[in-house]
Each structure stands twice: as structure tokens, then as C-alpha cells.
Amino acid sequence: TYDGNLKAPVTLYMEKWSQKKVTSAMAMKGAPEVAVERTYKSKTVQEGAPAEVQLVLNVKDERGPFLVKEPLPSNADVEGASLDKLLDDKVIEGYELDGDSIIFYLAPDKQGALSLSYRLDTERRGTSIQPGTMISTVADPDAYVAGKPTTFEVE
């Protein structure tokens, strides 16, 4: 029988989270000059209802094409038809689903604002902190810029 005396090395870091911590963005050295903002059409969505997500990229870099890794919230899944529409409308060059993220392939023909929208199917109630969108060039995927995390709420 187990007596509760398991010896294992543990390192515990405690950090107070604040609104400032959650809303920070970062850029790695050599990252493309692209700013990204994620917004939701509605702050709160009912369980089972679709949620509209919009990504706005402000491209200031000519080193494309770009990889845009968009993490999904833990309480929703992406609606495939909305991704296919982006492809059909030639907003994106391609996409793939990679576990809990969507990877968009973009080759903008000019600098400036680029907007793309997709839908989520809400699966369960709760609040999810969706990590920031990460953007890199295809040539150097390790040098990325990350957008701000957002909170996604399903009632």
C-alpha cells in the first residue's frame, strides 16, 4: 500500500497573474514586422451557438509568405466550412489543423491591413484564455511575433 511518502524533485514557481501579464505581446529576434489583433463578434456566446472570430494583421514586412498559428480555445472547435471559405475566396493560400491550433498560410501581395474571419463551434460552458496568435515567415518559423491572448467565454 502507498504511505504518501513519495520522494520526487519538484520546482514550484508562484507568480501573481494580472491583467497586464495576460495582455502582453512579444516578438522574437528576427520576427517579421506584422501586428495581429484577434476580436470576437460577441464577448459571450451561448453553448452550442457559433462564434465569429476576426484576425486583423497589419503587415509591414515584405519577407512573406507567412505562417499564422492560431491557437483554439479549449471550449470550442473550428468550423471547417469557414476555413474552406477563406481558401475559396483566396484570403489564404492554405491551412491545416494542428492539434489545438489552425495554421494559416498567407502570401499577401502588399503591405497593410489584412483581415480574415472564421467561426468556432462552442462545445462547453466556461472561460478559456486563448493564447496569442503567432506569426512567422515560412523561411524562419522559429522567429515569430505573438499577439495578445484573449478571453473566450461560453455560457
Side-chain angles (χ1 to χ4, degrees), residues 101-117:
S101 298
I102 311 165
I103 298 175
F104 295 109
Y105 298 93
L106 301 175
D109 55 359
K110 62 183 180 195
Q111 295 179 356
L114 172 67
S115 178
L116 57 105
S117 297

Side-chain angles (χ1 to χ4, degrees), residues 65-66 86-87 90-95 103-109:
F66 300 105
L86 289 171
L87 194 58
K90 300 195 183 322
V91 175
I92 60 174
E93 299 296 315
Y95 74 87
I103 298 175
F104 295 109
Y105 298 93
L106 301 175
D109 55 359

Side-chain angles (χ1 to χ4, degrees), residues 50 124 139:
R124 62 189 159 280

Side-chain angles (χ1 to χ4, degrees), residues 45-53 72-82 118-124 152 154:
V45 181
Q46 295 296 315
E47 183 179 16
E52 294 284 333
V53 182
L72 296 172
S74 59
N75 53 354
D77 199 7
V78 68
E79 181 188 271
S82 64
Y118 66 92
R119 283 186 301 279
L120 295 171
D121 292 324
T122 57
E123 296 179 337
R124 62 189 159 280
F152 181 69
V154 178

Side-chain angles (χ1 to χ4, degrees), residues 25-28 31-36 133-136 143-147:
M26 62 174 265
M28 306 292 285
E33 287 188 61
V34 179
V36 62
T133 305
M134 296 187 300
I135 304 169
S136 66
Y144 62 87
V145 60

